[in-house]
Structure formats: structure tokens, C-alpha cells
């Protein structure tokens, strides 16, 4: 019975404890039938010029369909199984087909155009005007104006791309989960922190093995690369990691042919719409004007960072040479940590005992409450997809509920790596009011038998980053789902709230709030914090060049490159020849696991991280001037940025908050590169 299907219960939160893969297909049948019926009923008559008559029902139907699919897509990312993957892939193809057809429906286009041309358009709210203009733009970008044959081809391309990008991501997940390495000789694990070894031993025991089990999941891989004294072990894990989903990694989950086909189809789709290449098609919805502007931005950053990066690399090579080693890619994290320890008498592991995850969460919530005048409380009465998942509610001072969020913090098998925020529900007032609800996902080490999950400082930054995305989604005051929260925000501005939040992790007052020794509660010692601060710009130039390398590769890959006549790997190598100061080994196949651009929505948009970092560094200036807990500054950021979602141009919103356009100087100073540039 349809009524028994929990996926069709859209009146409240998803009933995760009751969802089964077998329910996906029949629920999708019902939802697509209902959506089509609503759309057809609306389009069967000539649209009036008003919002309520012309496009309100269409917007509501599309929002309802997205809300239905949200838990399916989320479970596919955090609780993968063969049955769910099959149901998800089949459903995704059907959903993509429907959505592309809808975006190409000339009747839908005319309905929105009637509103745009109508006498009441100027009187609509800023949000509704933006919904209409965005919808008209996006339908043009979906081929609504194409003749019949090219329109059909564009639709087929989108359906195929949906299938390919999903397979790409699943191959990376499978390649990551398939690898494991048992180490029985503990002497080979010298240097690795005891807490990591305890987790590795527990994981081996869980699988019925003796010794220590290492994986390519971040809580295992990163400590090995950073601390393991056994160079051969570091190389073994490094090679496994950078050859995931490639022929060099065994070929079982090889993504090479997928990347080529994805690129060919993206270029064909862009050409059908008259764009010279996919990059300019992608940038039609972003702040950057075209690929040339992105190239200029990135090469300028590379020029500024390269002199300092060469010095940073030289320091690393000296350290490695002292051990009789010629520095290779599997040595950089290890010797970077040794150099940091020597230069600053500081190691990330020194801080780990001071960042127990429960204390960090409590402090993060308190910071949010003080800045934005809200309250955050846990709830235990909500269905979740795993026992470790937490659930929270955000309320206004008067107790009125404002938003909710799920928190899935720990790494495990069949869960996608990395960290992200996604939407469960979007804020809306019509036709049925609903609160914004977010999924916040990380992959930290789980608690051990004798202590809670203990975070490195960079993991604290990750948590703050994703919570920043979450606040952008949850604290919005925009009632139109298409531009509420992160919706409608240009991709190269969407990282502003997330990167902005990272800045608080470097402030003493915030460290005292989020940090305390997990056994004694003692605050982070002053000298340890001073060393942390002094190390903030450690290897900032190398890190910047690494991001520029990825972003240049991305933009050039989508700006005229033809995989039928050239090699994706060769293009990446050419970018490295231009930008990188230490090239990885020939067997490196990073591109085969670059999910951001081949599966994660960042195609021709990876530059967004550095672009938005300019905004976020500059936006933090008033907090440095007035204090990190200054309520007036926090409310100004809330009202001008977080609450406004995608209803206005981000340049305008930034200017409302900062009183001027963004300036790159703040990022250069924050990265320790401003003086380098001045002295060049």
C-alpha cells in the first residue's frame, strides 16, 4: 500500500528506521505521477500574470519532489548497500529524466515568463523576483529554447551524465573500502599515535584478525602518512590511496573511461547551447564571468604563492636529506609534521587531548548562540539511520523552533568519505510551512573504550566549516525554497559562510570555549595555543599552490580540452609542471578519485574554494576589530549574509555587511603571503 511507504510520508521528518530499498521505486512512481498531475493541471490553461496563479503551484510541486528524494540520496551516501545502490541508481535516472524534461517544457517557461512580464512583477518580494529570473535562466541553460532534435539530445546527455557521475562516486567508495592492510609487527607502526593504534587494533579484532588493520579512511590514512616512521609503509598506503579507481590501482573500479565520457558529454551539452566550452556554460550561474577571469585569478594566486612555496619546499628537503632521503610525495606529510614540531615545538597530536568531540560541539553551539541569538538543544525522539547519529533543534529566544539538523560524525564502512552538509528540508511558508533541516556529515575517529573521539585542530576546522554551511541553510529567513538557504547562491559564493566559520578556530576566546582536556577539563595551555597560532601559516604557500593546481586542472579540463585527442592525466601533469613545486610520482592517478568535479557539482567550479576564501577572510575582519563574541557584529553577519540565502547577488550582500567590495589583502595576510608580495 502506498500509504504504508515511509518515503511518502512528507508531513514530518524522514522515518529512517522504516525505510527499505524496495520502497524507493514504488514511492518514486507515486511522486512522479502526483508531480506530473499537478504540473499538467496548472499548465493545461493559459497562465495568469500573478505568482499564485502562474508559478506558485509549480514551485510547490518541485519542492515536494526534492524533499521526497532527499532521504534516499542521503542514505546512499551514508549507509550504502547493494540493494540501496541499485534502487538509487534506477531512481536517479528516472528523476533526472523527469527534471530535464520539466526544465525543457516550453509551457513551464511561458508560465514564468508571464510573471516576469506581468504588471505585478515589480511588486513581488525580492526572493520571488529572484526565483523567477533564476528559473528562466536555468531553463534556457537546460535547452528549453532548442529545436526538438537538439533538445532531445540534451536531455539524453543529462540522463547519461547522471548515471556516469553516480558510478564515478561509487567506484571511489568501493575502491576505498576494498583496501585494508593488516600489520602484525607493531614495530612497523612506530611514531603513530597510541589512540590511532588502539582504533586499528580494535578494527582488526572486529574483523576477526590479529594485529592492526589500516585502511584508506581518513582516521587511519592521515595519521599513517603524518607520523609513521616506516617509510615503506607510508609509500604503500600512499600508492593505494592515489591509485584508487584506476588501472594502476588494480582496475576493478577504474574510472578512466568514465571521466573521458563525462567530459565529452559535458562539452557536447555546452555546444548545443552555443557555449564555446563547458566552463563558460558552468560559469553562467556563478560570480566569475568566464573561464578567462578564473584563469587570471588562479594564476595570480600561484604567482604570489610560488616564491614562498619554493622556500617551504627547500626546508622540507633539508630535513629529509638529514635522514639520507630524497623527498617524495609519501614523505611530505611526515616531514612537514617533523618540521612543524621542530620550528614551533608543536604537533597536532599535542592538541588532540584538548579537543574531545563532545566539548567541541558544546562550545560550537555556545558560540553560535552568542553570535546569532539562538538556542541549540539535543533531541532523542527522532528516527535516525545509525545509532551514532545525533539530532538537534535550533530555536529563537522565545522558544519558537527555527531549524533542525542531523549530525553523523564518525567514519565507518559503506559511508562516503569526506565531510559535507546537505538539505533534508528547506524553509518555506506556502503552501505548507516547514522548517529547514540539514544533514551534517563528517568522518572522525569513533570514541574508544577509554576516551571520547579526540579531534586534531584541523578536524575541528572541518566541523566548523560544515556547520557554517549548515547555518547558511538553517538560519535563512527566505521563504521561497528555490532561493532559501544555500539554494540559488552562486557556487563560488556558497563557501563563504563555511570558510568564515573556520576563522573562529584560531581565536583564544573560542579555543577556551571549545577546548578542554578530556580527562581534567584543563584549558589549552597558553604556550601551546601560541605555538598553534604561530604555526597557522606554516606551509600556507604550498597548500595554496595545491588548491590552485586542482582548480587550474578543473577549469582547463572544461575549457576546450578534448579527451578524444588528449589525455586527462597528461593535462594534469602539464598543470603540475606549471604550478607544482614538488610533482607527485608517475603512478599518481588523482584525477580518478577527484569526486568534486566528476561527481560532486564542482565541475569548472573548484576555484570556488579560493574565490570564496577571499570573501570569508575579509568578512572576518569586523570580528577581529570588535571581538569574536560581539553580538552586534554577529547579528550584522546573520541579517546580511546567513538569512538572505540566494535572494540577492552575493556581491551586494557582502557590501551590505562590510560596507565595501571584498579585498584580497585579507586572504594574503591570513596566509602569511602579504609581506612576500610586498617585498617581491
Amino acid at each position: 500500500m502506498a500509504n504504508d511507504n515511509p518515503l511518502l510520508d512528507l508531513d514530518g521528518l524522514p522515518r529512517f528506521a522504516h525505510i527499505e530499498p524496495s520502497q524507493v521505486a514504488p514511492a518514486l512512481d507515486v511522486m512522479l505521477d502526483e508531480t506530473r498531475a499537478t504540473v499538467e493541471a496548472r499548465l493545461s490553461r493559459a497562465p495568469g500574470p500573478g505568482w499564485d496563479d502562474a508559478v506558485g503551484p509549480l514551485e510547490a510541486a518541485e519542492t515536494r519532489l526534492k524533499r521526497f528524494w532527499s532521504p534516499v540520496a542521503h542514505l546512499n551516501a551514508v549507509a550504502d548497500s547493494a540493494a540501496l545502490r541499485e534502487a538509487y541508481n534506477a531512481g536517479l535516472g528516472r528523476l533526472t529524466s523527469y527534471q530535464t524534461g520539466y526544465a525543457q517544457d516550453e509551457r513551464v517557461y511561458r508560465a514564468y515568463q508571464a510573471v516576469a512580464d506581468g504588471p505585478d512583477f515589480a511588486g513581488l518580494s525580492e526572493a520571488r523576483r529572484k526565483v523567477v529570473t533564476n528559473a528562466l535562466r536555468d531553463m534556457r541553460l537546460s535547452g528549453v529554447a532548442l529545436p526538438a532534435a537538439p533538445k532531445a539530445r540534451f536531455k539524453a546527455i543529462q540522463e547519461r551524465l547522471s548515471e556516469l557521475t553516480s558510478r564515478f562516486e561509487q567506484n571511489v567508495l568501493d575502491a576505498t573500502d576494498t583496501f585494508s592492510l593488516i600489520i602484525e609487527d607493531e614495530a612497523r607502526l612506530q611514531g603513530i599515535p597510541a589512540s590511532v593504534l588502539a582504533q586499528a587494533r580494535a578494527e582488526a579484532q572486529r574483523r576477526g584478525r590479529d594485529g592492526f588493520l589500516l585502511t584508506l579512511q581518513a582516521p587511519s590514512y592521515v595519521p599513517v602518512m603524518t607520523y609513521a616512521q616506516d617509510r615503506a609503509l607510508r609509500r604503500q598506503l600512499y600508492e593505494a590511496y592515489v591509485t584508487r579507481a584506476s588501472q594502476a590501482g588494480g582496475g576493478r573500479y577504474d574510472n578512466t573511461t568514465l571521466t573521458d565520457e563525462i567530459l565529452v558529454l559535458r562539452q557536447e551539452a555546452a555546444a548545443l547551447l552555443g557555449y564555446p566550452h563547458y566552463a563558460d556554460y558552468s560559469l553562467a550561474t556563478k560570480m566569475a564571468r568566464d573561464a578567462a577571469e578564473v584563469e587570471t585569478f588562479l594564476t595570480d594566486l600561484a604567482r604570489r604563492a610560488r616564491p614562498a612555496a619554493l622556500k617551504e619546499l627547500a626546508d622540507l628537503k633539508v630535513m629529509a636529506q638529514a635522514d639520507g632521503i630524497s623527498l617524495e610525495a609519501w614523505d611530505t606529510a611526515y616531514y612537514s609534521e617533523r618540521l612543524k614540531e621542530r620550528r614551533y615545538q608543536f604537533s597536532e597530536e599535542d592538541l588532540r587531548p584538548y579537543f574531545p568531540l563532545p566539548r567541541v560541539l558544546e562550545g560550537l553551539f555556545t558560540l553560535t548562540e552568542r553570535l546569532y541569538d539562538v538556542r541549540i538543544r539535543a533531541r532523542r525522539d527522532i528516527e535516525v539511520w545509525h545509532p551514532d547519529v545525533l539530532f538537534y533543534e535550533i530555536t529563537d529566544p522565545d522558544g519558537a523552533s527555527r531549524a533542525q539538523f542531523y549530525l553523523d560524525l564518525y567514519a565507518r564502512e559503506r559511508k562516503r568519505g569526506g565531510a559535507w552538509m546537505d538539505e533534508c528540508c528547506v524553509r518555506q511558508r506556502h503552501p505548507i510551512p516547514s522548517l529547514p533541516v540539514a544533514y551534517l556529515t563528517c568522518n572522525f575517529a569513533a570514541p574508544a573504550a577509554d576516551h571520547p573521539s579526540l579531534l586534531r585542530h584541523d578536524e575541528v576546522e572541518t566541523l566548523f566549516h560544515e556547520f557554517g554551511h549548515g547555518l547558511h541553510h538553517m538560519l535563512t529567513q527566505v521563504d521561497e525554497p528555490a532561493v532559501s538557504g544555500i539554494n540559488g547562491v552562486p557556487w563560488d559564493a556558497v563557501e563563504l559562510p563555511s570558510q568564515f566559520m573556520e576563522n573562529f578556530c584560531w581565536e583564544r576566546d573560542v579555543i577556551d570555549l571549545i577546548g578542554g582536556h578530556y580527562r581534567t577539563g584543563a584549558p589549552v595551555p597558553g604556550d601551546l595555543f601560541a605555538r598553534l597560532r604561530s604555526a597557522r601559516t606554516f606551509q600556507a604557500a604550498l597548500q595554496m599552490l595545491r588548491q590552485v593546481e586542482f582548480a587550474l586542472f578543473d577549469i582547463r579540463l572544461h575549457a576546450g580540452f578534448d579527451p578524444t585527442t588528449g589525455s586527462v592525466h597528461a593535462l594534469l601533469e602539464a598543470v603540475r609542471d606549471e604550478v607544482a613545486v614538488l610533482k607527485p610520482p608517475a603512478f599518481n592517478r588523482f584525477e580518478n578519485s577527484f569526486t568534486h568535479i566528476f561527481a560532486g557539482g564542482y565541475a569548472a567550479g573548484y576555484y570556488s574554494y579560493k574565490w570564496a576564501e577571499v570573501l570569508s577572510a575579509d568578512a572576518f575582519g569586523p570580528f577581529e576589530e570588535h571581538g569574536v563574541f560581539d553580538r552586534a557584529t554577529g547579528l550584522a553577519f546573520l541579517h546580511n549574509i546567513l538569512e538572505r540565502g540566494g535572494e540577492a547577488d552575493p556581491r551586494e550582500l557582502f557590501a551590505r555587511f562590510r560596507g565595501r567590495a571584498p579585498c584580497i589583502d585579507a586572504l594574503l595576510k591570513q596566509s602569511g603571503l602579504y609581506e612576500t608580495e610586498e617585498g617581491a
Side-chain angles (χ1 to χ4, degrees), residues 4 82 84 98 119 123 182 241 245 253 283 354 362 419 432 504 518 580 648:
D4 296 330
L84 178 59
Y98 165 77
I182 287 286
Y241 191 83
Y253 303 110
L283 294 171
Y354 292 94
E362 180 184 358
I432 301 174
F504 289 96
Y518 76 97

Side-chain angles (χ1 to χ4, degrees), residues 307-320:
L310 288 169
K311 294 177 183 177
E312 292 169 357
L313 179 62
D315 291 340
L316 278 185
K317 288 182 174 180
V318 168
M319 280 210 75

Side-chain angles (χ1 to χ4, degrees), residues 287-332:
M287 292 176 68
R289 291 184 294 273
D290 52 34
E293 183 178 14
V294 173
E295 278 255 1
T296 298
F297 170 70
L298 294 172
T299 53
D300 180 54
L301 284 180
R303 176 185 62 82
R304 294 171 185 263
R306 189 174 182 82
L310 288 169
K311 294 177 183 177
E312 292 169 357
L313 179 62
D315 291 340
L316 278 185
K317 288 182 174 180
V318 168
M319 280 210 75
Q321 288 167 0
D323 288 344
I325 289 174
S326 176
L327 190 74
E328 298 286 355
W330 51 89
D331 301 317
T332 54

